[in-house]
Amino acid sequence: MKIVTVEDIVRRFSFEVLTGQDQLARELKKTKVRRPGLEFMDKFDFIATEYVQILGKNEINYLHTLTEGECKLRIGNIVQYDPPCIVITSNQEEPLGLIDYCVEKKIPVLRTYDRMSEVCEKLDAFVVKAMAPESAIHGVCVNVSGIGILLRGKSGVGKSETAHTLIGRGHRLVADDIVVLKKLSPQTLLGSHNDKNKEFLALRSIGLLNVVRLYGRAAFQEETRIALDIELTKWEHNALNNELELESKFTEYIGVQIPHIQIQLQPGRDVAGLIEAAANNWYLKQQGYSAAEDFVKRLEQDFDDSKSS
């Protein structure tokens, strides 16, 4: 898991540092932020520790009604749970005693013009992604009609060439050669580049291409949620069958199960078109539609009609 510090969120969101400039190396341990409530009223038995604490208008307005001593007491209820930092939203004035107390306890206090809801949403998304378990694999990642796809296969099988064809059809490259995978949840796997290979596509006999320079911004996407794992393999005679619907197979990455499909390559076969079909068929299944089930129902209806006639 990547280490994320208070300095990382200060740089990412251009937060103003009110105090604790020498404490920005404090590490974030939790992937969610918290908004204090009952802590201010002394009515709590247990509060989770080490969360970034966010103070919105309601919290700040309440603290402004208190004396400096009372404010210090309420802030103490938060600080005892060791937050890596405290963030004041909507560019509000800090309450009495907050800065002095946090200097004493070595807790950075940050401030932003953004509203509470915006700060919570942005910080949660950033920290979850930054601290997510990750792994790098050999392959290509593309976004086809809004659906993230991993293309895997042996070196030289044609992954990058297939990605180039998909780009020509209006789809987007995410990463070539090295794909960085991040586990955002037990069901969510994110695919991205490693910065060095950002926007680059390597084609044998052609060389290295910058797809943004060649085809425009629409040819590239920073990241995508992985929905399908497609393995490109050499053609094997009589290895394919014509079943109505193949048995579901999955590949596991960092504990996340991803539907797996194998596509065999042969001269003249429209591999890019098959990938588009696989992506669209996956989407229909998410909407509850199965072409195989629909076809079987039609056969059963036709059989029932023939019996009744």
Side-chain angles (χ1 to χ4, degrees):
M1 183 180 294
K2 180 182 177 181
I3 294 176
V4 180
T5 67
V6 176
E7 185 174 11
D8 291 329
I9 64 176
V10 168
R11 290 180 176 177
R12 176 66 176 80
F13 301 108
S14 300
F15 287 165
E16 177 186 2
V17 181
L18 298 180
T19 186
Q21 286 87 350
D22 58 343
Q23 299 295 323
L24 298 183
R26 289 173 61 94
E27 296 180 14
L28 276 67
K29 303 293 181 63
K30 301 295 176 64
T31 58
K32 293 289 183 179
V33 301
R34 291 196 78 256
R35 180 179 184 175
L38 294 177
E39 295 94 318
F40 286 161
M41 307 304 295
D42 290 328
K43 297 184 181 296
F44 58 94
D45 297 319
F46 170 77
I47 299 295
T49 62
E50 301 178 326
Y51 282 87
V52 172
Q53 297 287 340
I54 310 293
L55 302 182
K57 287 185 176 180
N58 290 340
E59 292 79 13
I60 294 295
N61 288 339
Y62 168 71
L63 292 175
H64 277 311
T65 66
L66 307 177
T67 65
E68 182 172 341
E70 291 173 331
C71 182
K72 182 176 180 180
L73 177 64
R74 305 307 181 197
I75 293 298
N77 289 342
I78 300 175
V79 171
Q80 68 175 304
Y81 291 101
D82 195 28
C85 65
I86 295 174
V87 182
I88 298 174
T89 65
S90 302
N91 200 38
Q92 299 172 95
E93 182 180 352
E94 65 273 14
L96 291 173
L98 172 65
I99 298 299
D100 290 341
Y101 190 78
C102 289
V103 167
E104 177 186 339
K105 298 299 182 179
K106 298 183 179 180
I107 304 293
V109 179
L110 316 177
R111 183 163 60 188
T112 174
Y113 280 91
D114 293 336
R115 295 176 299 176
M116 163 73 77
S117 59
E118 296 171 342
V119 173
C120 290
E121 182 178 352
K122 292 194 301 186
L123 268 180
D124 278 345
F126 172 74
V127 177
V128 166
K129 190 181 299 182
M131 296 179 65
E134 67 177 50
S135 176
I137 67 166
H138 174 67
V140 176
C141 183
V142 290
N143 183 282
V144 177
S145 301
I147 297 167
I149 296 176
L150 279 178
L151 297 180
R152 296 186 301 107
K154 294 182 178 180
S155 180
V157 76
K159 300 181 296 295
S160 299
E161 289 83 354
T162 301
H164 183 259
T165 301
L166 288 167
I167 291 171
R169 296 188 181 192
H171 306 297
R172 296 178 175 182
L173 173 72
V174 176
D176 180 43
D177 190 38
I178 297 175
V179 181
V180 177
L181 301 176
K182 291 191 174 186
K183 178 182 179 180
L184 301 188
S185 78
Q187 297 81 34
T188 306
L189 190 69
L190 195 71
S192 186
H193 52 78
N194 67 353
D195 288 330
K196 297 181 181 64
N197 63 347
K198 178 180 178 179
E199 303 175 357
F200 289 120
L201 182 68
L203 299 179
R204 282 178 170 77
S205 303
I206 302 298
L208 201 60
L209 306 180
N210 185 310
V211 298
V212 171
R213 296 293 183 92
L214 280 176
Y215 305 115
R217 292 301 313 172
F220 175 76
Q221 185 167 316
E222 286 282 350
E223 58 191 24
T224 186
R225 178 177 178 176
I226 303 299
L228 283 174
D229 174 68
I230 297 181
E231 182 183 7
L232 304 182
T233 65
K234 293 183 179 180
W235 182 269
E236 296 181 17
H237 188 61
N238 293 329
L240 299 179
N241 52 51
N242 292 318
E243 294 179 6
L244 293 180
E245 189 163 24
L246 298 176
E247 180 182 353
S248 296
K249 297 181 180 180
F250 297 88
T251 305
E252 183 175 305
Y253 298 101
I254 327 177
V256 181
Q257 296 283 329
I258 303 297
H260 170 81
I261 296 174
Q262 185 183 91
I263 295 180
Q264 294 190 12
L265 307 179
Q266 189 180 49
R269 201 170 194 217
D270 184 9
V271 178
L274 292 174
I275 291 173
E276 289 175 324
N280 292 329
N281 197 47
W282 176 89
Y283 175 79
L284 287 175
K285 288 183 178 180
Q286 305 312 299
Q287 306 306 306
Y289 176 80
S290 168
E293 291 178 3
D294 190 4
F295 181 66
V296 170
K297 287 180 181 178
R298 294 185 188 186
L299 291 179
E300 291 174 345
Q301 184 62 48
D302 185 59
F303 178 74
D304 291 340
D305 291 343
S306 64
K307 285 179 62 177
S308 60
S309 62

